[in-house]
Amino acid sequence: TTTTTTTTTTAGTLSVASPVSSLPNALAGIVNDCLASISIWLIKRTFQPSLLRKKRKHGYLKRSESPGGRKILRRRKAKGRARLFGA
């Protein structure tokens, strides 16, 4: 079966068949499965690591800007941490 999309404009009627639906049923199913599996790989996940963003958010300069951040640096220094900041 072929599905046809009909669009009416001021110039006239335009009839367009979708490319997948114009294929035989078995082949259309295979194509749809392939497209579905490809689209899963194209999903962008939420964590996109960047060292620059990490340093700007959790770095030494950012910590030393606020009283709470300076408190964190003091605590980590007192504990003897090799790295005082999270970058």
Coordinates of all heavy atoms in Angstrom, one line a residue:
T1 N 0.8 -1.2 0.0 CA 0.0 0.0 0.0 C 0.9 1.2 0.0 O 1.9 1.3 0.6 CB -0.9 0.0 1.2 OG1 -0.1 0.0 2.4 CG2 -1.9 -1.1 1.2
T2 N 0.4 2.2 -0.7 CA 1.2 3.5 -0.8 C 0.3 4.6 -0.1 O -0.8 4.8 -0.4 CB 1.4 3.9 -2.2 OG1 2.1 2.8 -2.8 CG2 2.2 5.1 -2.3
T3 N 1.0 5.3 0.8 CA 0.3 6.4 1.4 C 0.7 7.7 0.7 O 1.8 7.9 0.4 CB 0.7 6.6 2.9 OG1 1.8 5.9 3.2 CG2 -0.4 6.2 3.8
T4 N -0.3 8.5 0.4 CA -0.1 9.7 -0.3 C -0.5 10.9 0.5 O -1.6 10.8 1.1 CB -0.8 9.7 -1.6 OG1 -0.5 8.5 -2.4 CG2 -0.5 10.9 -2.5
T5 N 0.3 11.8 0.6 CA 0.0 13.1 1.4 C -0.5 14.1 0.3 O 0.2 14.4 -0.6 CB 1.2 13.6 2.1 OG1 1.7 12.5 2.9 CG2 0.8 14.8 3.0
T6 N -1.7 14.6 0.6 CA -2.2 15.6 -0.4 C -2.2 17.0 0.3 O -2.7 17.1 1.4 CB -3.6 15.2 -0.8 OG1 -3.6 13.9 -1.3 CG2 -4.2 16.2 -1.8
T7 N -1.6 17.9 -0.3 CA -1.6 19.3 0.2 C -2.2 20.2 -0.8 O -1.9 20.2 -1.9 CB -0.1 19.7 0.4 OG1 0.6 18.7 1.2 CG2 0.0 21.0 1.1
T8 N -3.2 21.0 -0.2 CA -3.9 22.0 -1.1 C -3.3 23.4 -0.8 O -3.2 23.8 0.3 CB -5.4 22.0 -0.8 OG1 -5.8 20.6 -0.9 CG2 -6.1 22.8 -1.8
T9 N -2.9 24.0 -1.9 CA -2.4 25.4 -1.8 C -3.2 26.3 -2.7 O -4.1 25.8 -3.3 CB -0.9 25.5 -2.2 OG1 -0.8 25.1 -3.5 CG2 0.0 24.6 -1.3
T10 N -2.9 27.6 -2.7 CA -3.6 28.5 -3.5 C -3.3 28.2 -5.0 O -4.1 28.5 -5.9 CB -3.2 29.9 -3.2 OG1 -1.8 30.1 -3.3 CG2 -3.7 30.3 -1.8
A11 N -2.1 27.6 -5.3 CA -1.8 27.3 -6.7 C -2.4 26.0 -7.2 O -2.6 25.8 -8.3 CB -0.3 27.2 -6.8
G12 N -2.8 25.1 -6.2 CA -3.4 23.9 -6.7 C -3.2 22.8 -5.7 O -2.8 23.0 -4.5
T13 N -3.4 21.5 -6.1 CA -3.2 20.4 -5.2 C -1.9 19.7 -5.5 O -1.6 19.4 -6.7 CB -4.4 19.4 -5.3 OG1 -5.6 20.1 -5.1 CG2 -4.3 18.2 -4.4
L14 N -1.1 19.4 -4.5 CA 0.1 18.7 -4.6 C 0.1 17.4 -3.9 O -0.3 17.3 -2.8 CB 1.3 19.6 -4.0 CG 2.7 19.0 -4.0 CD1 3.1 18.9 -5.5 CD2 3.6 19.9 -3.2
S15 N 0.4 16.3 -4.6 CA 0.3 14.9 -4.1 C 1.7 14.4 -4.0 O 2.4 14.3 -5.0 CB -0.6 14.1 -5.0 OG -0.7 12.8 -4.4
V16 N 2.2 14.0 -2.8 CA 3.5 13.5 -2.6 C 3.5 12.2 -1.8 O 2.8 12.1 -0.8 CB 4.4 14.5 -1.7 CG1 5.8 14.0 -1.5 CG2 4.4 15.9 -2.4
A17 N 4.1 11.2 -2.3 CA 4.1 9.9 -1.6 C 5.4 9.8 -0.8 O 6.5 10.2 -1.2 CB 4.1 8.7 -2.7
S18 N 5.3 9.3 0.4 CA 6.5 9.2 1.3 C 7.4 8.1 0.7 O 6.9 7.1 0.2 CB 6.1 8.9 2.7 OG 5.6 7.6 2.9
P19 N 8.7 8.2 0.8 CA 9.6 7.2 0.2 C 9.5 5.8 0.8 O 9.6 4.9 0.1 CB 11.0 7.8 0.4 CG 10.9 8.9 1.4 CD 9.4 9.3 1.4
V20 N 9.4 5.8 2.1 CA 9.3 4.4 2.7 C 8.0 3.7 2.4 O 8.0 2.5 2.2 CB 9.5 4.6 4.3 CG1 9.3 3.3 5.0 CG2 10.8 5.2 4.6
S21 N 6.9 4.5 2.3 CA 5.6 3.8 2.1 C 5.5 3.3 0.6 O 4.6 2.5 0.3 CB 4.5 4.8 2.4 OG 4.6 5.9 1.6
S22 N 6.3 3.8 -0.3 CA 6.2 3.4 -1.7 C 6.9 2.1 -1.9 O 6.8 1.5 -3.0 CB 6.8 4.5 -2.6 OG 8.2 4.6 -2.3
L23 N 7.7 1.6 -0.9 CA 8.3 0.3 -1.0 C 7.4 -0.9 -0.7 O 6.4 -0.6 0.0 CB 9.5 0.2 0.0 CG 10.6 1.3 -0.2 CD1 11.6 1.2 1.0 CD2 11.3 1.1 -1.5
P24 N 7.7 -2.1 -1.1 CA 6.9 -3.2 -0.6 C 6.9 -3.4 0.9 O 7.8 -2.9 1.6 CB 7.6 -4.4 -1.3 CG 8.5 -3.9 -2.4 CD 8.8 -2.5 -2.0
N25 N 5.9 -4.0 1.5 CA 5.7 -4.0 2.9 C 6.9 -4.6 3.7 O 7.3 -4.1 4.7 CB 4.4 -4.8 3.3 CG 3.2 -4.1 3.0 OD1 3.2 -2.8 2.9 ND2 2.1 -4.8 2.8
A26 N 7.4 -5.7 3.2 CA 8.6 -6.4 3.9 C 9.8 -5.4 3.9 O 10.4 -5.3 4.9 CB 8.9 -7.7 3.2
L27 N 10.0 -4.8 2.8 CA 11.2 -3.9 2.6 C 11.0 -2.7 3.5 O 11.9 -2.1 4.1 CB 11.4 -3.6 1.2 CG 12.7 -2.9 0.8 CD1 13.9 -3.7 1.3 CD2 12.9 -2.6 -0.6
A28 N 9.8 -2.2 3.5 CA 9.4 -1.0 4.3 C 9.7 -1.2 5.7 O 10.2 -0.4 6.5 CB 8.0 -0.5 4.0
G29 N 9.3 -2.4 6.2 CA 9.5 -2.8 7.6 C 11.0 -2.8 8.0 O 11.4 -2.3 9.0
I30 N 11.8 -3.4 7.0 CA 13.3 -3.4 7.3 C 13.9 -2.0 7.3 O 14.7 -1.7 8.2 CB 13.9 -4.3 6.2 CG1 13.5 -5.7 6.3 CG2 15.5 -4.1 6.2 CD1 13.9 -6.6 5.1
V31 N 13.4 -1.2 6.4 CA 13.9 0.2 6.3 C 13.6 1.0 7.6 O 14.4 1.7 8.2 CB 13.4 0.9 5.1 CG1 13.7 2.4 5.2 CG2 14.0 0.3 3.8
N32 N 12.3 0.8 8.1 CA 11.9 1.4 9.3 C 12.7 1.0 10.5 O 13.0 1.7 11.4 CB 10.4 1.2 9.5 CG 9.5 2.1 8.6 OD1 10.0 3.1 8.2 ND2 8.3 1.6 8.3
D33 N 13.0 -0.4 10.6 CA 13.8 -0.9 11.7 C 15.2 -0.3 11.7 O 15.8 0.1 12.7 CB 13.9 -2.4 11.6 CG 12.5 -3.1 11.9 OD1 11.7 -2.4 12.6 OD2 12.4 -4.3 11.6
C34 N 15.8 -0.2 10.5 CA 17.1 0.4 10.3 C 17.1 1.9 10.8 O 18.0 2.3 11.5 CB 17.6 0.3 8.9 SG 18.0 -1.4 8.4
L35 N 16.1 2.6 10.3 CA 16.0 4.0 10.7 C 15.9 4.2 12.2 O 16.4 5.1 12.8 CB 14.9 4.7 10.0 CG 15.1 4.9 8.5 CD1 13.8 5.5 7.9 CD2 16.3 5.8 8.2
A36 N 15.1 3.3 12.8 CA 14.9 3.4 14.3 C 16.2 3.1 15.0 O 16.5 3.7 16.0 CB 13.8 2.4 14.7
S37 N 17.0 2.1 14.6 CA 18.2 1.7 15.3 C 19.2 2.8 15.1 O 20.0 3.1 16.0 CB 18.7 0.4 14.8 OG 19.1 0.4 13.4
I38 N 19.2 3.5 13.9 CA 20.2 4.6 13.7 C 19.8 5.8 14.6 O 20.7 6.4 15.1 CB 20.2 5.0 12.2 CG1 20.9 3.9 11.3 CG2 20.9 6.3 12.0 CD1 20.7 4.1 9.9
S39 N 18.6 6.0 14.7 CA 18.2 7.2 15.5 C 18.5 7.1 17.0 O 18.8 8.1 17.7 CB 16.7 7.5 15.4 OG 15.9 6.4 16.0
I40 N 18.6 5.8 17.5 CA 19.1 5.6 18.9 C 20.5 6.1 19.0 O 20.9 6.7 20.0 CB 18.9 4.1 19.3 CG1 17.4 3.8 19.4 CG2 19.6 3.8 20.6 CD1 17.1 2.3 19.6
W41 N 21.4 5.9 18.0 CA 22.8 6.3 18.1 C 22.9 7.8 18.0 O 24.0 8.3 18.4 CB 23.6 5.6 17.0 CG 23.8 4.1 17.3 CD1 23.1 3.1 16.7 CD2 24.7 3.5 18.2 NE1 23.5 1.9 17.2 CE2 24.5 2.1 18.2 CE3 25.6 4.0 19.1 CZ2 25.2 1.2 18.9 CZ3 26.3 3.1 19.9 CH2 26.1 1.8 19.8
L42 N 21.9 8.4 17.5 CA 22.1 9.9 17.2 C 21.6 10.7 18.4 O 21.6 11.9 18.4 CB 21.3 10.3 16.0 CG 21.8 9.7 14.7 CD1 20.9 10.1 13.5 CD2 23.2 10.1 14.4
I43 N 21.1 10.1 19.5 CA 20.6 10.8 20.7 C 21.8 11.4 21.4 O 22.7 10.7 21.7 CB 19.8 9.8 21.6 CG1 18.6 9.3 20.9 CG2 19.5 10.5 22.9 CD1 17.8 8.3 21.7
K44 N 21.8 12.7 21.7 CA 22.8 13.3 22.4 C 22.6 13.1 23.9 O 21.5 13.5 24.4 CB 22.9 14.8 22.1 CG 24.1 15.5 22.7 CD 24.1 16.9 22.2 CE 25.3 17.6 22.9 NZ 25.4 19.0 22.5
R45 N 23.6 12.6 24.6 CA 23.4 12.3 26.1 C 23.6 13.6 26.8 O 24.1 14.6 26.3 CB 24.4 11.2 26.5 CG 24.3 9.9 25.7 CD 22.9 9.5 25.5 NE 22.3 8.8 26.7 CZ 21.1 8.5 26.8 NH1 20.2 8.7 25.9 NH2 20.6 7.8 27.8
T46 N 23.3 13.6 28.1 CA 23.3 14.9 28.9 C 24.7 15.3 29.3 O 25.0 16.5 29.4 CB 22.5 14.7 30.2 OG1 22.9 13.6 30.9 CG2 21.0 14.6 29.8
F47 N 25.7 14.3 29.5 CA 27.0 14.7 30.0 C 27.9 14.8 28.8 O 28.2 13.8 28.1 CB 27.5 13.6 31.0 CG 28.9 14.0 31.5 CD1 29.1 15.1 32.2 CD2 30.0 13.1 31.2 CE1 30.4 15.4 32.7 CE2 31.2 13.4 31.7 CZ 31.4 14.6 32.5
Q48 N 28.4 16.0 28.5 CA 29.3 16.3 27.4 C 30.5 16.9 28.1 O 30.6 18.1 28.3 CB 28.7 17.2 26.4 CG 27.4 16.8 25.7 CD 27.7 15.6 24.9 OE1 28.6 15.5 24.1 NE2 26.8 14.6 24.9
P49 N 31.6 16.1 28.4 CA 32.7 16.6 29.3 C 33.5 17.6 28.6 O 33.8 17.6 27.4 CB 33.5 15.3 29.5 CG 33.1 14.3 28.5 CD 31.7 14.7 28.1
S50 N 33.9 18.6 29.4 CA 34.8 19.7 28.9 C 35.6 20.1 30.1 O 35.1 20.5 31.1 CB 34.0 20.9 28.4 OG 34.8 22.0 28.3
L51 N 37.0 20.0 29.9 CA 37.9 20.4 31.0 C 37.8 21.9 31.3 O 37.9 22.3 32.5 CB 39.3 20.0 30.7 CG 39.6 18.5 30.7 CD1 41.0 18.3 30.3 CD2 39.3 17.9 32.0
L52 N 37.6 22.7 30.3 CA 37.5 24.2 30.5 C 36.3 24.5 31.3 O 36.4 25.3 32.3 CB 37.4 24.9 29.1 CG 37.4 26.4 29.2 CD1 38.7 26.9 29.8 CD2 37.3 27.0 27.8
R53 N 35.1 23.9 31.0 CA 33.9 24.2 31.8 C 34.1 23.7 33.2 O 33.6 24.3 34.2 CB 32.7 23.5 31.2 CG 31.9 24.4 30.3 CD 30.6 23.8 29.9 NE 30.9 22.8 28.8 CZ 30.2 21.7 28.6 NH1 29.1 21.5 29.3 NH2 30.6 20.9 27.6
K54 N 34.7 22.5 33.4 CA 35.0 22.0 34.7 C 35.9 22.9 35.6 O 35.6 23.1 36.7 CB 35.6 20.6 34.6 CG 35.8 19.9 35.9 CD 36.5 18.5 35.6 CE 36.7 17.8 36.9 NZ 37.4 16.5 36.7
K55 N 36.9 23.4 34.9 CA 37.8 24.3 35.7 C 37.1 25.6 36.1 O 37.3 26.2 37.1 CB 39.1 24.6 34.8 CG 40.0 23.5 34.8 CD 41.2 23.9 34.0 CE 42.2 22.7 33.9 NZ 43.4 23.0 33.2
R56 N 36.3 26.1 35.1 CA 35.6 27.4 35.4 C 34.6 27.2 36.6 O 34.3 28.2 37.3 CB 34.9 27.9 34.2 CG 35.8 28.5 33.2 CD 35.1 29.0 32.0 NE 36.1 29.6 31.1 CZ 35.9 29.9 29.8 NH1 34.7 29.6 29.3 NH2 36.8 30.4 29.0
K57 N 34.0 26.0 36.7 CA 33.0 25.8 37.7 C 33.5 25.4 39.0 O 33.0 25.8 40.1 CB 32.0 24.8 37.2 CG 30.7 24.7 38.0 CD 29.7 23.9 37.3 CE 28.4 23.9 38.0 NZ 27.4 24.7 37.4
H58 N 34.6 24.5 39.0 CA 35.0 23.9 40.2 C 36.5 24.2 40.5 O 37.1 23.6 41.4 CB 34.9 22.4 40.1 CG 33.5 21.9 39.8 ND1 32.5 22.0 40.8 CD2 33.0 21.4 38.7 CE1 31.4 21.5 40.2 NE2 31.6 21.2 39.0
G59 N 37.1 25.1 39.8 CA 38.5 25.4 39.9 C 38.9 26.2 41.1 O 38.0 26.7 41.8
Y60 N 40.2 26.4 41.3 CA 40.7 27.2 42.4 C 40.2 28.6 42.4 O 39.8 29.1 43.5 CB 42.3 27.1 42.4 CG 42.9 27.8 43.5 CD1 43.0 27.2 44.7 CD2 43.3 29.2 43.4 CE1 43.6 27.8 45.8 CE2 43.9 29.8 44.5 CZ 44.0 29.1 45.7 OH 44.6 29.8 46.8
L61 N 40.2 29.3 41.3 CA 39.8 30.7 41.3 C 38.3 30.8 41.6 O 37.9 31.7 42.3 CB 40.1 31.3 39.9 CG 41.6 31.5 39.5 CD1 41.7 32.0 38.1 CD2 42.2 32.4 40.5
K62 N 37.5 29.9 41.1 CA 36.1 29.9 41.4 C 35.9 29.7 42.9 O 35.0 30.3 43.5 CB 35.4 28.9 40.6 CG 33.9 28.9 40.7 CD 33.3 30.2 40.0 CE 31.8 30.1 39.9 NZ 31.3 31.3 39.2
R63 N 36.6 28.7 43.5 CA 36.5 28.4 44.9 C 36.9 29.6 45.8 O 36.3 29.9 46.8 CB 37.4 27.2 45.3 CG 37.0 25.9 44.7 CD 35.9 25.2 45.5 NE 35.8 23.8 45.1 CZ 34.7 23.3 44.7 NH1 33.6 24.0 44.7 NH2 34.6 22.0 44.4
S64 N 38.0 30.3 45.3 CA 38.5 31.4 46.2 C 37.7 32.7 46.1 O 37.9 33.6 46.8 CB 39.9 31.7 45.8 OG 40.1 32.0 44.4
E65 N 36.7 32.7 45.2 CA 35.8 33.9 45.0 C 34.9 34.1 46.2 O 34.6 35.2 46.6 CB 35.0 33.8 43.7 CG 35.8 34.2 42.5 CD 35.0 34.0 41.2 OE1 33.8 33.7 41.3 OE2 35.5 34.3 40.1
S66 N 34.3 33.0 46.7 CA 33.2 33.1 47.7 C 33.7 32.6 49.1 O 34.7 31.8 49.1 CB 32.0 32.3 47.3 OG 32.3 30.9 47.3
P67 N 33.1 33.1 50.1 CA 33.5 32.6 51.5 C 33.3 31.1 51.6 O 34.2 30.5 52.2 CB 32.5 33.4 52.4 CG 32.0 34.5 51.6 CD 32.1 34.1 50.2
G68 N 32.3 30.6 51.1 CA 32.1 29.1 51.2 C 33.1 28.3 50.4 O 33.6 27.3 50.9
G69 N 33.5 28.9 49.3 CA 34.6 28.2 48.5 C 35.9 28.3 49.2 O 36.7 27.3 49.2
R70 N 36.2 29.4 49.8 CA 37.5 29.5 50.6 C 37.4 28.6 51.8 O 38.5 28.0 52.1 CB 37.7 31.0 51.1 CG 38.0 31.9 49.9 CD 38.5 33.3 50.4 NE 37.4 34.0 51.1 CZ 36.6 34.8 50.4 NH1 36.6 35.0 49.1 NH2 35.6 35.5 51.1
K71 N 36.3 28.3 52.4 CA 36.1 27.4 53.5 C 36.5 26.0 53.0 O 37.1 25.2 53.7 CB 34.7 27.5 54.0 CG 34.4 26.9 55.3 CD 33.0 27.2 55.7 CE 32.6 26.4 56.9 NZ 31.2 26.7 57.3
I72 N 36.0 25.6 51.8 CA 36.3 24.3 51.2 C 37.8 24.2 51.0 O 38.3 23.1 51.3 CB 35.5 24.2 49.8 CG1 34.0 24.0 50.1 CG2 36.1 23.0 49.1 CD1 33.2 24.1 48.8
L73 N 38.4 25.2 50.4 CA 39.9 25.1 50.2 C 40.6 25.0 51.5 O 41.6 24.2 51.6 CB 40.4 26.4 49.5 CG 39.9 26.6 48.0 CD1 40.3 27.9 47.5 CD2 40.5 25.4 47.2
R74 N 40.2 25.7 52.6 CA 40.8 25.5 53.9 C 40.7 24.1 54.4 O 41.7 23.5 54.9 CB 40.2 26.5 54.9 CG 40.9 27.9 54.9 CD 40.6 28.7 56.2 NE 39.1 28.9 56.3 CZ 38.5 29.9 55.8 NH1 39.1 30.8 55.1 NH2 37.2 30.0 56.0
R75 N 39.5 23.6 54.3 CA 39.2 22.2 54.8 C 40.1 21.2 54.1 O 40.7 20.3 54.7 CB 37.8 21.8 54.6 CG 36.9 22.2 55.8 CD 35.6 21.4 55.8 NE 35.0 21.2 54.5 CZ 34.0 21.9 54.0 NH1 33.4 22.9 54.7 NH2 33.5 21.6 52.8
R76 N 40.2 21.3 52.8 CA 40.9 20.4 51.9 C 42.4 20.5 52.2 O 43.2 19.5 52.3 CB 40.6 20.6 50.5 CG 39.2 20.1 50.1 CD 38.9 20.3 48.6 NE 39.6 19.4 47.8 CZ 39.3 18.2 47.5 NH1 38.2 17.7 48.0 NH2 40.0 17.5 46.7
K77 N 42.9 21.7 52.4 CA 44.3 21.9 52.7 C 44.6 21.3 54.1 O 45.7 20.7 54.3 CB 44.6 23.4 52.7 CG 46.1 23.7 52.8 CD 46.4 25.2 52.9 CE 46.3 25.8 51.5 NZ 46.7 27.2 51.4
A78 N 43.7 21.5 55.1 CA 43.9 21.0 56.4 C 44.0 19.5 56.4 O 44.7 18.8 57.2 CB 42.8 21.5 57.4
K79 N 43.2 18.9 55.6 CA 43.1 17.4 55.5 C 44.4 16.9 54.8 O 44.7 15.7 54.9 CB 41.8 17.0 54.7 CG 41.6 15.5 54.8 CD 40.2 15.2 54.2 CE 39.9 13.7 54.4 NZ 38.6 13.4 54.0
G80 N 45.1 17.7 54.0 CA 46.3 17.3 53.3 C 46.0 16.8 51.9 O 46.8 16.0 51.4
R81 N 45.0 17.3 51.3 CA 44.7 16.8 49.9 C 45.8 17.3 49.0 O 46.3 18.4 49.1 CB 43.4 17.5 49.5 CG 42.2 17.0 50.2 CD 41.6 15.7 49.6 NE 40.4 15.4 50.2 CZ 39.7 14.3 49.9 NH1 40.2 13.5 49.0 NH2 38.5 14.1 50.5
A82 N 46.1 16.4 48.0 CA 47.1 16.8 47.0 C 46.5 17.8 46.1 O 47.2 18.7 45.6 CB 47.6 15.5 46.3
R83 N 45.3 17.6 45.8 CA 44.6 18.6 44.9 C 43.5 19.3 45.7 O 42.6 18.7 46.3 CB 43.9 17.9 43.7 CG 44.8 17.3 42.7 CD 44.1 16.7 41.6 NE 44.9 15.6 40.9 CZ 44.8 14.3 41.3 NH1 43.9 13.9 42.2 NH2 45.5 13.5 40.6
L84 N 43.6 20.6 45.8 CA 42.7 21.4 46.6 C 41.4 21.7 45.9 O 40.3 21.9 46.5 CB 43.3 22.8 47.0 CG 44.5 22.7 47.8 CD1 45.0 24.1 48.1 CD2 44.2 22.0 49.1
F85 N 41.4 21.6 44.6 CA 40.2 22.0 43.8 C 39.8 20.8 42.9 O 40.6 19.9 42.6 CB 40.5 23.2 42.9 CG 41.8 23.2 42.3 CD1 42.0 22.7 41.0 CD2 42.9 23.7 43.0 CE1 43.2 22.7 40.5 CE2 44.2 23.7 42.4 CZ 44.3 23.2 41.1
G86 N 38.6 20.9 42.3 CA 38.1 19.7 41.6 C 38.3 19.7 40.1 O 37.5 19.3 39.3
A87 N 39.4 20.3 39.7 CA 39.7 20.3 38.2 C 41.0 19.7 37.9 O 41.8 19.4 38.7 CB 39.7 21.8 37.7

